[in-house]
Amino acid sequence: MVELLWSLVVALILVIFILSVKVYLLQKSAGEIADAFAERLVTDTNTLIDISSRDRSMRKLAAAVNTQLRQLRRERRRFVQGDLELKEAVTNISHDLRTPLTAICGYLDLLEREEKSETTERYLSYIRNRSEALRQLTEELFCYSVVLSAKDFTFEEVNLCRILEDSLLSFYGALKQKNITPDIRMPEQHIIRLLDPAAVSRIFSNIISNAIKYSDGDFSVVMDTAGSIVFSNTAGNLTPVTAGRLFDRFYTVEASRNSTGLGLSIARHLTEEMGGSIRADYRDRTLSITVSFPE
């Protein structure tokens, strides 16, 4: 009786051991599938998931995941190809529109030199305004497609203070026209970062242009020694919701304004491509756009 009991105990221990090993191997296989799947999602590779386990169920699971990975790769290739075709189409269309628009503006210049009635003068003014709005849209579409298609940056040591000063000076006329006296505060020491100077200039210019467009009469720029720049202006026509959408492509606060909604979207794209960050905050009727380029 005692021998039978010991035999049962030994058999039970053996079964528990075998089951423990089985569970361990299943857990190991599940971990291999999870790790391999996570790696395949972030890397551009055609290698499929392979596991060490011979378990039929786990290998069936790995095969099912591989089927989904193949489908995901096909969809990714379609997306990349479609994205490239769309960018090329936008570039070509905007480029083709520039020639007739230039001709239209040229003929308008000639018409404005001729004698005309008050009604004709008014109609020409409408045509001029709409033509300029269309020309601006075409130029921004062209710039946007070029920016998105550009893959290479020319990184070099740049002085953020100097680029910001030059950007502000380029908008002196626009600021003066709107009777805006900017409040500018920058550190005395140079803030040096490894960035593309042309891209940084485009970022600052787009943000300043947006601030002038929506400002209620004030504008401030504050840079700290950490490479963070805050552009602020009172904007009573905004809300926290609309402020959060300012970086969306083609989003405009007011459709009647001569705006395409591409300026801040370009600024965000360029900032993030160079390793920086950009965000918009709206509090107490004040819009603040913060751009940071950490060391």
Side-chain angles (χ1 to χ4, degrees), residues 108 111-112 116-131:
L108 284 174
L111 282 174
E112 288 177 349
K116 46 193 173 295
S117 65
E118 183 178 344
T119 302
T120 303
E121 186 80 39
R122 186 171 67 254
Y123 288 162
L124 281 177
S125 176
Y126 293 154
I127 296 173
R128 169 68 73 181
N129 289 336
R130 293 301 88 197
S131 298

Side-chain angles (χ1 to χ4, degrees), residues 10-290:
V10 171
L12 182 59
I13 293 175
L14 183 60
V15 170
I16 293 174
F17 174 76
I18 293 174
L19 290 176
S20 298
V21 172
K22 182 71 173 178
V23 170
Y24 168 76
L25 292 176
L26 290 176
Q27 290 177 338
K28 180 182 177 183
S29 299
E32 289 176 351
I33 293 175
D35 294 341
F37 183 71
E39 181 183 355
R40 299 307 188 278
L41 288 178
V42 298
T43 57
D44 186 13
T45 176
N46 292 323
T47 306
L48 297 176
I49 294 175
D50 190 21
I51 58 176
S52 58
S53 174
R54 300 291 98 187
D55 183 81
R56 183 179 300 175
S57 298
M58 296 306 295
R59 296 194 70 81
K60 184 177 180 181
L61 175 61
V65 173
N66 283 332
T67 300
Q68 296 302 315
L69 277 176
R70 293 189 188 96
Q71 180 66 23
L72 179 62
R73 287 184 189 132
R74 286 194 292 268
E75 294 298 326
R76 181 180 293 175
R77 284 194 293 269
R78 288 178 55 192
F79 171 78
V80 171
Q81 183 63 30
D83 189 51
L84 291 175
E85 291 176 356
L86 177 60
K87 291 175 183 176
E88 183 178 356
V90 171
T91 302
N92 292 336
I93 291 172
S94 58
H95 186 271
D96 291 341
L97 284 173
R98 297 164 92 186
T99 300
L101 276 175
T102 301
I104 290 172
C105 292
Y107 283 120
L108 284 174
D109 290 336
L110 293 176
L111 282 174
E112 288 177 349
R113 299 174 188 173
E114 301 293 330
E115 293 186 6
K116 46 193 173 295
S117 65
E118 183 178 344
T119 302
T120 303
E121 186 80 39
R122 186 171 67 254
Y123 288 162
L124 281 177
S125 176
Y126 293 154
I127 296 173
R128 169 68 73 181
N129 289 336
R130 293 301 88 197
S131 298
E132 286 298 322
L134 185 56
R135 186 185 63 81
Q136 180 184 355
L137 173 60
T138 303
E139 289 295 330
E140 291 197 24
L141 277 173
F142 180 76
C143 292
Y144 183 73
S145 59
V146 169
V147 166
L148 291 188
S149 300
K151 299 297 182 182
D152 298 325
F153 288 96
T154 305
F155 287 97
E156 59 184 73
E157 288 190 348
V158 299
N159 183 354
L160 289 179
C161 297
R162 176 63 59 82
I163 296 179
L164 182 57
E165 289 174 352
D166 292 342
S167 299
L168 288 167
L169 283 174
S170 67
F171 284 92
Y172 172 79
L175 289 166
K176 187 174 182 181
Q177 185 178 8
K178 293 199 67 174
N179 296 317
I180 298 175
T181 302
D183 177 19
I184 304 170
R185 285 171 282 172
M186 290 187 286
E188 295 183 1
Q189 65 268 39
H190 294 169
I191 309 300
I192 306 299
R193 295 291 185 271
L194 193 63
L195 301 167
D196 184 299
V200 176
S201 179
R202 170 65 66 84
I203 293 167
F204 291 162
S205 295
N206 287 4
I207 296 174
I208 296 170
S209 175
N210 183 82
I212 295 174
K213 188 180 302 175
Y214 294 108
S215 174
D216 289 344
D218 63 327
F219 179 47
S220 69
V221 181
V222 179
M223 176 188 288
D224 60 25
T225 56
S228 180
I229 308 100
V230 181
F231 302 84
S232 302
N233 62 275
T234 302
N237 59 331
L238 293 179
T239 67
V241 175
T242 55
R245 296 191 60 192
L246 287 176
F247 297 110
D248 293 350
R249 284 180 293 181
F250 304 110
Y251 177 77
T252 57
V253 178
E254 296 180 20
S256 60
R257 300 234 184 170
N258 291 331
S259 175
T260 63
L262 290 174
L264 290 183
S265 182
I266 293 174
R268 179 180 65 177
H269 175 78
L270 292 175
T271 301
E272 293 177 349
E273 284 292 310
M274 293 189 294
S277 64
I278 184 170
R279 72 175 191 273
D281 301 299
Y282 187 72
R283 296 179 182 177
D284 299 328
R285 301 179 69 250
T286 298
L287 172 67
S288 299
I289 295 178
T290 304

